Amino acid sequence: MTISNQTTLQELIKLGLFSEADIEKFNKKLKRAADSQARKALVDGTASAIKALVQSEVHNGNKYWSVKTAAHSLGFMSYIQADRGIVLKALTQLTEEGFLAKVGLKNVDGQLTELDRTQVNAFQLRYIVAPVEEADAAVDKEGS
């Protein structure tokens, strides 16, 4: 017997090339891959929604953002309906891309102060739109 594109899985199992357990393992792997692609698409869509939100005027020029509404910041989850974990993954992606930056926000001597994120606890972390560096701005002006 020769194996061709027309050979069925049942025939391959009878030949001993695959077992029922192998087929079950392949199906589980396919399901995991499909679930992973769906999660990635959801994270990408959430990241796009976050970008659109911070660039819009809906938030009245708010500078500081957090996952949920907190002191001195608006929460992304107030505007975007998604699971907290998905929002966090989208924020991580946008931070790695350089669109957002993490800062620490804390009252120091009665005044709201931005600190390095290593100087604050997790509840004091906020997200801001990453500032465009002067060198990048100069290149943009020259290119225009």
Side-chain angles (χ1 to χ4, degrees):
M1 172 178 197
T2 59
I3 298 173
S4 68
N5 291 341
Q6 305 302 319
T7 308
T8 66
L9 285 176
Q10 191 60 39
E11 291 171 332
L12 295 174
I13 291 170
K14 283 182 183 176
L15 290 172
L17 297 174
F18 291 105
S19 68
E20 295 281 343
D22 291 334
I23 303 303
E24 190 174 312
K25 182 173 71 173
F26 294 149
N27 285 332
K28 286 180 182 179
K29 188 172 184 175
L30 287 171
K31 184 179 180 334
R32 282 193 310 270
D35 291 346
S36 176
Q37 287 177 342
R39 271 193 312 279
K40 183 177 178 350
L42 187 57
V43 169
D44 290 343
T46 303
S48 295
I50 289 172
K51 277 184 175 182
L53 176 63
V54 298
Q55 292 172 341
S56 74
E57 295 300 319
V58 171
H59 51 80
N60 297 324
N62 179 62
K63 182 177 179 181
Y64 300 107
W65 294 88
S66 54
V67 177
K68 292 184 177 181
T69 302
H72 310 292
S73 66
L74 293 178
F76 288 113
M77 292 184 67
S78 299
Y79 296 92
I80 299 170
Q81 290 187 353
D83 181 57
R84 183 177 183 276
I86 297 296
V87 173
L88 284 169
K89 286 180 183 180
L91 290 171
T92 299
Q93 178 180 327
L94 291 172
T95 302
E96 288 172 354
E97 290 173 3
F99 181 76
L100 295 176
K102 277 186 183 181
V103 296
L105 195 61
K106 188 175 182 179
N107 272 325
V108 177
D109 298 327
Q111 188 173 8
L112 199 59
T113 307
E114 279 186 25
L115 300 171
D116 185 72
R117 66 184 185 174
T118 59
Q119 296 175 310
V120 297
N121 65 39
F123 298 104
Q124 296 166 324
L125 285 177
R126 300 294 183 266
Y127 294 88
I128 60 171
V129 176
V132 177
E133 296 192 22
E134 293 178 26
D136 291 339
V139 170
D140 290 341
K141 287 180 183 177
E142 291 174 9
S144 298

